[in-house]
Amino acid sequence: MALATRERILEAAGGTLSRNPNASLDQIAVEARVGRATVFRHFESRAGLLKALAGRAIAETDRATRLAAADARTATDALRLITQAVVGAGESFRFLDSAAELYDEPEIVEAYQRQMSELADLVEATRREGFIRPDLPTAWVVASIDGLIWAACRAVGDGELGVVQAQDLVWETIADGLSTEGAREDRDAE
Amino acid sequence: MALATRERILEAAGGTLSRNPNASLDQIAVEARVGRATVFRHFESRAGLLKALAGRAIAETDRATRLAAADARTATDALRLITQAVVGAGESFRFLDSAAELYDEPEIVEAYQRQMSELADLVEATRREGFIRPDLPTAWVVASIDGLIWAACRAVGDGELGVVQAQDLVWETIADGLSTEGAREDRDAE
DNA sequence: CATCGACGAGACTTTAGCGTCTCATTCAGG
DNA sequence: CCTGAATGAGACGCTAAAGTCTCGTCGATG
């Protein structure tokens, strides 16, 4: 039971915080159908809960990265798998909008920077495969991917797109952009 | 003087809140080199300050939209001008990360939805000009543009890119995506 | 010089939310 | 049936921050 309760609290916290970034522990406890005291039995403090939640998101991303590295034959394919995995797990990340406090947690900040740096390395690798345009700064490529993933998660959360649809669209947009000016001319030979 | 003070408070609030989404009125007052009481002389409450700040951002966007409509010969060009104007004014928008409270302000929500709907209309217009790929849902196009603008503002704020550079990259990415797969073959005739 | 409005400083009250603690209840295992 | 661990309910104290109020100062204006 203990584990189930802890999990239920984390789940509720993720959901509630993604809807209302400043939700109180009261609201989270209610959402989790749990007494507020129980939240403190499982987590040291509000910061501890946030930290656990962030740790979960980081672990999930790491897992997706490992799977992608195992399955993909090219860096480009790995980038695609990771991107789509993160969009799929988007609900686990939306709470981060609110989590300015997490910038005070060295562990979390470090893990986040590590993942960003891994992403940058992966982007470099895809660049060597000829996937990424050589004239784009890596910082911008990483930022764009981040922004598009965020947009996709938002669109899914708002019910504007389905998860699978969003996963496909993110990758298409990364690869080809939004305009007809290039990609589609290749494909459709207009 | 009254106007200058009010403006200084708004400026400080935008800056402080973009760095720390949960900044107190104390911090904002200090940043504005103003007594905390003076903040209340100019704004009814914290919510009032936030609302004024949001109103400012909305007005700035409307202004950019009007200018773009006046200057641009095509919808595509208008979309470019608006996108780049918003990136240029990005500092006025970053505080919105923190402003979950604003969802309770009908005026602001309505104005935001109106702007999003105007953007959607503009996207439709560029689609008729053959700019946007016909197979992409408008909701996704709007969301992507939003995401890329957000990414650009973040990159500028973090010092990773210059403003002009970010403005160009956003538009390039919207138009051509990140990959070599289409656009660059057109341009460089590889 | 007198006046008046804007301001800074800071005391004060109130409220929301965090974190602690206690106690009764429930439920599973022996 | 007995025991102990996990929980729910809720009281309690504490702090940060919002919002109010007063008073003294400064500076522009007549």
Side-chain angles (χ1 to χ4, degrees):
Chain A
M1 265 302 162
L3 231 178
T5 300
R6 186 188 165 92
E7 205 54 32
R8 212 164 65 234
I9 294 171
L10 282 170
E11 209 62 48
T16 307
L17 289 174
S18 71
R19 279 187 295 279
N20 172 14
N22 292 325
S24 69
L25 292 185
D26 255 302
Q27 294 173 253
I28 293 172
V30 169
E31 182 85 6
R33 284 159 304 142
V34 142
R36 202 170 63 93
T38 299
V39 176
F40 287 96
R41 288 191 184 102
H42 287 276
F43 304 94
E44 188 187 1
S45 63
R46 182 186 225 281
L49 173 59
L50 270 279
K51 202 169 152 185
L53 213 50
R56 216 180 171 218
I58 288 167
E60 193 154 0
T61 305
D62 279 337
R63 190 173 146 276
T65 303
R66 249 181 293 115
L67 284 182
D71 291 1
R73 288 183 44 252
T74 64
T76 301
D77 218 37
L79 181 60
R80 181 177 62 77
L81 289 174
I82 291 172
T83 300
Q84 296 183 340
V86 173
V87 171
E91 286 307 308
S92 310
F93 295 87
R94 291 201 61 190
F95 85 95
L96 287 168
D97 280 358
S98 69
E101 309 106 273
L102 287 174
Y103 285 100
D104 298 332
E105 303 286 347
E107 287 180 53
I108 303 295
V109 171
E110 192 192 352
Y112 174 73
Q113 287 173 347
R114 172 180 56 76
Q115 289 188 337
M116 278 299 148
S117 142
E118 285 172 10
L119 178 54
D121 291 346
L122 187 55
V123 165
E124 286 298 338
T126 66
R127 202 194 283 281
R128 286 192 293 275
E129 288 175 357
F131 176 65
I132 294 288
R133 288 166 48 183
D135 58 327
L136 296 178
T138 296
W140 170 245
V141 175
V142 171
S144 312
I145 292 174
D146 221 39
L148 288 171
I149 289 174
W150 178 81
C153 293
R154 231 178 78 106
V156 171
D158 295 354
E160 291 174 350
L161 299 176
V163 175
V164 176
Q165 191 183 14
Q167 288 173 319
D168 290 343
L169 287 170
V170 165
W171 186 249
E172 275 186 50
T173 301
I174 289 172
D176 302 336
L178 301 172
S179 82
T180 55
E181 282 180 8
R184 282 191 54 82
E185 289 177 12
D186 288 347
R187 267 189 225 146
D188 302 355
E190 295 186 310
Chain B
M1 266 304 162
L3 231 176
T5 300
R6 184 187 167 94
E7 206 54 31
R8 212 163 65 233
I9 293 172
L10 282 169
E11 208 64 45
T16 306
L17 289 174
S18 70
R19 281 186 294 278
N20 172 13
N22 292 324
S24 68
L25 291 185
D26 254 304
Q27 293 172 255
I28 292 171
V30 169
E31 181 85 6
R33 284 159 304 142
V34 142
R36 201 171 63 93
T38 299
V39 175
F40 286 96
R41 286 190 185 103
H42 287 275
F43 303 94
E44 188 187 1
S45 64
R46 183 194 175 86
L49 173 59
L50 271 279
K51 203 169 151 186
L53 213 50
R56 216 177 168 222
I58 287 167
E60 194 155 359
T61 305
D62 279 338
R63 190 173 146 277
T65 304
R66 249 180 294 115
L67 284 181
D71 290 1
R73 287 182 48 250
T74 64
T76 302
D77 218 39
L79 181 58
R80 182 178 61 78
L81 289 174
I82 291 173
T83 301
Q84 296 184 339
V86 174
V87 171
E91 286 309 307
S92 311
F93 295 86
R94 292 202 62 190
F95 85 95
L96 287 169
D97 280 357
S98 69
E101 308 107 271
L102 287 174
Y103 286 99
D104 297 332
E105 303 286 349
E107 288 181 51
I108 303 296
V109 172
E110 190 192 354
Y112 174 73
Q113 286 173 347
R114 172 180 56 78
Q115 290 188 337
M116 278 299 149
S117 144
E118 286 173 9
L119 179 54
D121 291 346
L122 187 55
V123 165
E124 286 299 338
T126 67
R127 202 194 283 280
R128 286 192 293 275
E129 288 174 358
F131 177 66
I132 295 287
R133 288 166 49 184
D135 58 326
L136 296 177
T138 296
W140 169 245
V141 176
V142 171
S144 312
I145 292 174
D146 222 38
L148 288 171
I149 288 174
W150 178 81
C153 292
R154 232 178 77 106
V156 171
D158 295 354
E160 290 174 351
L161 299 176
V163 174
V164 176
Q165 191 185 14
Q167 287 173 319
D168 289 344
L169 288 170
V170 166
W171 187 249
E172 274 186 52
T173 302
I174 289 173
D176 302 335
L178 300 172
S179 82
T180 56
E181 281 181 7
R184 281 191 54 81
E185 290 178 13
D186 288 347
R187 267 193 223 140
D188 302 354
E190 296 185 309

